[in-house]
Amino acid sequence: MEKPYYAALLDFVAAERAAGTVFPPDAQVFEALRLTSYAQTKVLILGQDPYHNDGQAHGLAFSVRPGVTPPPSLRNMFKELKADLGVERPKTGYLAPWAEQGVLLLNAVLTVRAHTPNAHKGQGWEKFTDAVLRALVARPEPVVFVLWGGYARKKAALLDAARHTIIESAHPSPLSAHNGFFGSKPFSKINAALGAAPKELGLGGAAEIDWRLAGGGA
């Protein structure tokens, strides 16, 4: 945060907010890092940039605020969750309960101009979030990295597959879900990796993630 690129990034985001609407609200830009601490992180699910429509983004990748209809990618995640673990589709798309269990729901870009996808791409957020990935890779405790889609899968070059688990597939977007996301069973794979982690590293036998959300069930 003390590097020149970060100061320039903050200036860019401030100018964007002065000129129009930016999502998520300023107080929620770092919500993923607030809800899932460095030490607590068991799983990282990487998104690209925040939802760009009104009332959706609140700082967690793929998640929407309570009461907001889940967008298509999230609906497809819930379909796969049902097929994978039998968890019924929840009534909410609010994923904070996953974050509170150690699932870091991190977008590579943390802000977006309203109704303009990828508007803040290439302005510096990627350097910041790549640093988060590298910090987790350097941690002695293993992490399960989940990379969906071509953009996220490029980040595998930053990771260490010898010490951490990397789960890759197509993106849950309607454009690609039928080309390798459906049937990939990411949720059971995550829990299997958590259970298999060496006990001396602190996560062995760690509680599996309870993927159920409000209104859902097993």
Side-chain angles (χ1 to χ4, degrees):
M1 288 184 171
E2 296 174 355
K3 294 185 177 181
Y5 89 85
Y6 193 81
L9 169 62
L10 293 186
D11 288 344
F12 168 77
V13 175
E16 286 280 284
R17 290 195 188 277
T21 302
V22 169
F23 299 129
D26 188 56
Q28 294 181 320
V29 169
F30 298 106
E31 189 75 351
L33 299 174
R34 185 184 73 80
L35 287 181
T36 313
S37 72
Y38 176 75
Q40 182 193 11
T41 300
K42 302 177 186 178
V43 180
L44 184 146
I45 299 178
L46 186 67
Q48 189 164 354
D49 73 334
Y51 293 126
H52 57 85
N53 288 329
D54 296 335
Q56 293 180 319
H58 65 99
L60 300 184
F62 295 103
S63 181
V64 290
R65 298 170 188 267
V68 175
T69 301
S73 291
L74 185 52
R75 292 201 298 272
N76 285 338
M77 287 167 59
F78 291 154
K79 287 179 183 177
E80 179 61 17
L81 181 57
K82 174 68 160 59
D84 185 3
L85 292 174
V87 174
E88 296 295 340
R89 177 177 167 176
K91 294 179 180 177
T92 180
Y94 184 58
L95 305 183
W98 295 359
E100 290 163 354
Q101 295 179 74
V103 181
L104 180 58
L105 296 162
L106 185 71
N107 281 313
V109 176
L110 298 187
T111 56
V112 68
R113 187 185 309 145
H115 316 302
T116 314
N118 293 313
H120 291 183
K121 179 181 178 181
Q123 296 295 330
W125 280 128
E126 296 92 340
K127 291 183 181 180
F128 178 82
T129 53
D130 281 358
V132 173
L133 265 65
R134 290 191 181 97
L136 288 170
V137 168
R139 210 182 66 172
E141 299 87 1
V143 176
V144 182
F145 291 93
V146 181
L147 309 177
W148 289 331
Y151 179 89
R153 295 172 85 168
K154 291 178 182 176
K155 301 293 184 179
L158 303 176
L159 309 181
D160 181 355
R163 294 198 309 109
H164 304 281
T165 298
I166 303 173
I167 296 173
E168 299 183 51
S169 77
H171 195 277
S173 160
L175 297 175
S176 56
H178 289 281
N179 294 322
F181 177 74
F182 288 138
S184 64
K185 300 185 181 299
F187 304 100
S188 60
K189 288 178 180 176
I190 290 167
N191 279 348
L194 291 176
K199 287 182 168 51
E200 64 270 18
L201 293 181
L203 287 182
E208 296 181 342
I209 304 301
D210 182 353
W211 299 106
R212 293 173 297 180
L213 298 166

